[in-house]
Amino acid sequence: MPIDGLLLNKLIREAQIFEGEKIRNIYQPVNDEVLLQLQSGFLLFVLKNPSYLIKLESKPNMPDTPQNFSMFLRKRIKNAKIIKIEQLGLDRIGYIELSVIDETFELRNYKLYFELMGRNSNILLIDEENKIMDALKKGVSPKRSIMPGAKYIPFYKREYINILENENLYDLNQPFMGFSKISKNLFYEYIEKYDYISFVSEFLDNLNVYTFEYNGKKEILAFKPVNFKYDEFQNPSEGLLNFFELQSMNSRFLELKKRLEKTVIKEIEKYERLYKKLKNEEKEIREIPDLEKKGRLLQAYLYQFKEKTDFVVVEDWETGEKIKINLNPLKTPNENLQVIFKKVHKLKSKEIHLKERIKITKKMIDYLYQLWQSIDFVEDIETLMEIKEEMIQEKILQDKTKNKRRKRSNSKPYEFEFNGFKIFVGKNNIQNDKITREADREDIWMHAQGIPGAHVIIKTNKKEVPMEVLLFGAKLAAKYSKGRYSSKVSVDYTMKKHVWKPKGSKPGMVLYNNFKTLYVEPI
């Protein structure tokens, strides 16, 4: 449900506590948000859908470089005194009246209008002549111009009825000001159970807001939803924060997950292109013996060929066969011989490093697929932040907070209990390393064979692990692997003492031996 005019009324009344205070600073946390820092708190305007204003006790994270609109507002209204904060009727529009001494030491009176209308939301600074000084979103439409110097016309329909000022409310066809469809329906339920006078009295008497379930969705309302179970909050900002908390975390989680996944896929594509290139070079390396032989034969029979030609045919003295040697017709046979020797030397020099590069690149691809699998499986923001931290450490993701101390996440692995045995499953590479490193030597370590997946640890407590427990652990390893949709997955298991991490290996990457294999269906 969008934030309607009734809820905005209570948010504005709550914000009126800032009247008489000065604006200490102005920020833009993101492009469509404006934050006023006041003497006793913060006032945040969110200018996207849903749009609202909210009173905050502490400052949210800010970008290092201020954006243009916040810089303009700082120049014009920093240190301005708030005279009053008002709503226009019950609509989703209001203003903050300001008084400030400008750079010429003249007293100026401005109005900072906020239009909180979903995707059409805006915030504008208006001068004493009711002209637009600047706006977050500029544009021209048939009804009005939002450009500096234009006369400001509020996006406000005066003909709509303000229910706080009009008692003739029983005609359902009347256009009410500031109502959403849901709040209008619930308003009629309220006055049917009680009456209009009670509604107005209760509405104006407090700032309470209510969250409740409506058609399977969580909604927020500025008055009591009489036929629903609800949670009551004594101030609207607290209720709004509660209402948006899950939505905000989900949005942040999905946005970060998508960004990390996109980055990893891009890295996989890059390294797979490199791997393909190296494998093609490896094919050239296999040609060294043949190329050397042709070089020796051409050298032996060089005295027979003086003219430029595109090929020569010579006899292989080892087999007696005729060998055709293709040449560059623009070069002499002797020059072609030098080209062959140079190519052989170059390929032999490359051979020394090529195998190691192929090995390193293959390991990187395996690691990236493991990382991708971890991102795909992640279910909570804490684990996702650990993956982000890992990607920064591995130089896959750029660290934009080099000079800031990052708060380390401390998420926990999945924990299961089966027939008296505890089983841990890593949610990401950092956890995979941690649970494997901290396992006892006799604990059972499990992993899906040959595919990206989680490490699984069965805590043995030095007891023999029954087959049904091993099978359950194997099913978990299959479930939390790339093979989770397969009908059968091969899962290797061994004691932790047979698992080791090679020096310099990537997070989550280990080697193991003395293992057995189970074939299971994922849970």
Side-chain angles (χ1 to χ4, degrees):
M1 182 177 84
I3 307 303
D4 63 14
L6 293 172
L7 184 55
L8 182 59
N9 178 276
K10 289 196 170 181
L11 289 164
I12 288 175
R13 284 158 55 194
E14 179 187 33
Q16 287 170 348
I17 192 173
F18 294 128
E19 290 179 348
E21 294 193 10
K22 287 188 176 182
I23 297 175
R24 288 183 169 174
N25 214 338
I26 302 102
Y27 305 91
Q28 276 180 270
V30 293
N31 186 54
D32 48 14
E33 293 181 3
V34 174
L35 180 75
L36 302 183
Q37 181 177 356
L38 304 161
Q39 290 170 276
S40 63
F42 300 85
L43 193 58
L44 176 67
F45 296 87
V46 177
L47 304 157
K48 57 186 177 182
N49 195 18
S51 52
Y52 54 93
L53 67 85
I54 190 167
K55 177 178 174 287
L56 300 175
E57 301 298 327
S58 58
K59 184 170 74 173
N61 292 331
M62 292 295 120
D64 294 332
T65 305
Q67 299 190 46
N68 290 339
F69 186 65
S70 61
M71 290 295 289
F72 170 81
L73 291 181
R74 287 181 188 181
K75 184 177 179 181
R76 296 294 184 179
I77 62 171
K78 187 175 180 180
N79 295 319
K81 183 178 181 181
I82 295 179
I83 306 303
K84 63 179 177 180
I85 306 176
E86 292 289 337
Q87 182 181 23
L88 298 189
L90 264 182
D91 214 336
R92 292 176 294 166
I93 181 172
Y95 64 87
I96 302 176
E97 188 175 327
L98 302 165
S99 177
V100 64
I101 304 292
D102 69 9
E103 64 272 13
T104 64
F105 302 101
E106 293 288 331
L107 180 65
R108 300 292 183 189
N109 292 302
Y110 300 138
K111 286 184 179 178
L112 187 68
Y113 272 88
F114 46 90
E115 301 176 346
L116 303 177
M117 299 179 178
R119 288 173 295 181
N120 298 316
S121 297
N122 208 347
I123 188 162
L124 316 91
L125 187 62
I126 310 302
D127 68 13
E128 294 152 313
E129 298 178 357
N130 198 41
K131 289 183 179 180
I132 298 172
M133 299 174 69
D134 202 357
L136 179 65
K137 302 174 185 177
K138 302 177 185 68
V140 178
S141 69
K143 294 184 178 179
R144 63 176 187 161
S145 173
I146 304 296
M147 296 297 291
K151 181 180 178 182
Y152 175 62
I153 303 172
F155 197 75
Y156 173 58
K157 296 185 177 179
R158 299 178 186 275
E159 66 273 18
Y160 279 29
I161 294 171
N162 183 342
I163 58 111
L164 301 181
E165 299 174 352
N166 193 315
E167 297 184 19
N168 185 23
L169 301 173
Y170 298 98
D171 180 1
L172 293 177
N173 295 318
Q174 291 184 101
F176 288 173
M177 186 183 292
F179 274 86
S180 67
K181 290 181 180 179
I182 294 174
S183 60
K184 186 173 181 180
N185 291 337
L186 297 179
F187 166 69
Y188 276 104
E189 289 183 13
Y190 186 101
I191 60 175
E192 183 178 345
K193 185 170 183 178
Y194 300 106
D195 55 59
Y196 165 72
I197 301 299
S198 298
F199 176 87
V200 173
S201 175
E202 182 178 343
F203 185 85
L204 295 176
D205 188 50
N206 61 64
L207 297 178
N208 296 357
V209 297
Y210 309 85
T211 58
F212 62 105
E213 292 288 331
Y214 186 89
N215 290 338
K217 290 180 66 177
K218 191 173 184 180
E219 303 288 357
I220 186 166
L221 200 64
F223 57 91
K224 240 177 246 182
V226 293
N227 296 323
F228 295 86
K229 291 182 179 179
Y230 55 81
D231 291 320
E232 183 175 358
F233 298 88
Q234 293 186 351
N235 64 71
S237 289
E238 181 187 353
L240 202 58
L241 285 171
N242 176 269
F243 176 68
F244 282 123
E245 183 176 17
L246 183 58
Q247 179 180 340
S248 176
M249 287 201 56
N250 284 343
S251 176
R252 181 183 171 214
F253 171 79
L254 292 172
E255 184 179 344
L256 180 58
K257 184 174 181 178
K258 185 177 179 180
R259 181 163 67 91
L260 297 185
E261 187 174 42
K262 184 178 179 181
T263 301
V264 170
I265 291 172
K266 189 175 179 181
E267 286 291 298
I268 288 173
E269 290 172 347
K270 181 180 78 175
Y271 278 95
E272 285 188 334
R273 285 195 301 270
L274 175 61
Y275 186 74
K276 185 178 179 180
K277 178 177 176 290
L278 294 175
K279 293 299 283 185
N280 286 333
E281 291 179 5
E282 189 179 43
K283 290 178 183 177
E284 291 182 350
I285 298 298
R286 297 194 194 107
E287 296 174 4
I288 290 177
D290 183 61
L291 201 59
E292 277 187 314
K293 187 170 192 176
K294 287 180 178 178
R296 290 195 300 270
L297 288 172
L298 181 59
Q299 187 179 35
Y301 292 101
L302 190 62
Y303 68 93
Q304 298 181 9
F305 310 108
K306 302 297 182 182
E307 302 297 327
K308 296 179 180 179
T309 181
D310 55 355
F311 72 91
V312 297
V313 178
V314 297
E315 182 179 332
D316 183 352
W317 58 74
E318 292 179 347
T319 64
E321 296 178 355
K322 297 292 183 180
I323 302 294
K324 181 181 178 181
I325 304 174
N326 292 318
L327 303 176
N328 184 345
L330 300 177
K331 296 179 182 293
T332 66
N334 186 56
E335 287 173 335
N336 273 282
L337 178 63
Q338 299 307 314
V339 169
I340 291 173
F341 282 159
K342 283 181 180 179
K343 187 173 182 181
V344 169
H345 178 73
K346 183 179 179 181
L347 289 175
K348 283 187 173 181
S349 299
K350 184 185 290 186
E351 185 181 20
I352 299 172
H353 306 287
L354 187 61
K355 288 183 180 179
E356 185 63 23
R357 286 191 70 195
I358 290 173
K359 182 180 177 183
I360 292 170
T361 304
K362 182 63 170 63
K363 284 183 177 180
M364 187 65 183
I365 291 170
D366 291 342
Y367 166 68
L368 289 169
Y369 272 107
Q370 173 71 25
L371 192 61
W372 189 9
Q373 185 267 340
S374 296
I375 296 170
D376 186 37
F377 263 40
V378 72
E379 297 174 345
D380 59 89
I381 190 70
E382 291 81 8
T383 305
L384 195 61
M385 290 301 292
E386 282 186 346
I387 295 173
K388 179 185 175 184
E389 181 69 23
E390 176 186 342
M391 290 173 67
I392 289 172
Q393 290 175 356
E394 296 300 318
K395 306 290 192 296
I396 298 169
L397 200 64
Q398 185 178 359
D399 184 4
K400 296 181 179 180
T401 58
K402 289 181 180 178
N403 298 322
K404 295 182 181 179
R405 181 178 293 179
R406 293 191 300 274
K407 183 179 178 181
R408 290 187 174 272
S409 181
N410 192 26
S411 66
K412 295 182 179 179
Y414 295 115
E415 184 175 342
F416 302 87
E417 188 163 339
F418 187 80
N419 288 1
F421 288 85
K422 281 189 176 182
I423 304 174
F424 296 97
V425 180
K427 294 179 181 177
N428 55 43
N429 288 323
I430 291 175
Q431 289 185 9
N432 286 336
D433 279 347
K434 188 172 188 292
I435 64 173
T436 300
R437 183 175 63 250
E438 294 179 353
D440 294 331
R441 286 171 53 81
E442 291 78 17
D443 289 342
I444 300 297
W445 179 91
M446 292 182 148
H447 196 284
Q449 187 184 85
I451 56 175
H455 294 204
V456 174
I457 296 292
I458 301 176
K459 301 296 292 182
T460 64
N461 294 322
K462 299 186 179 180
K463 297 178 184 176
E464 185 176 350
V465 181
M467 179 53 67
E468 59 267 23
V469 178
L470 291 174
L471 286 171
F472 181 77
K475 288 179 179 181
L476 288 174
K479 176 182 178 181
Y480 293 102
S481 77
K482 194 176 180 180
R484 62 190 181 277
Y485 298 123
S486 305
S487 57
K488 289 288 181 182
V489 177
S490 305
V491 176
D492 294 338
Y493 70 98
T494 185
M495 285 187 180
K496 187 273 178 133
K497 64 184 178 182
H498 300 306
V499 180
W500 71 97
K501 191 171 183 66
K503 186 177 180 181
S505 60
K506 298 289 184 183
M509 309 305 286
V510 298
L511 296 175
Y512 57 94
N513 57 24
N514 295 341
F515 63 90
K516 295 180 181 179
T517 305
L518 294 170
Y519 302 93
V520 296
E521 183 178 353
I523 295 176

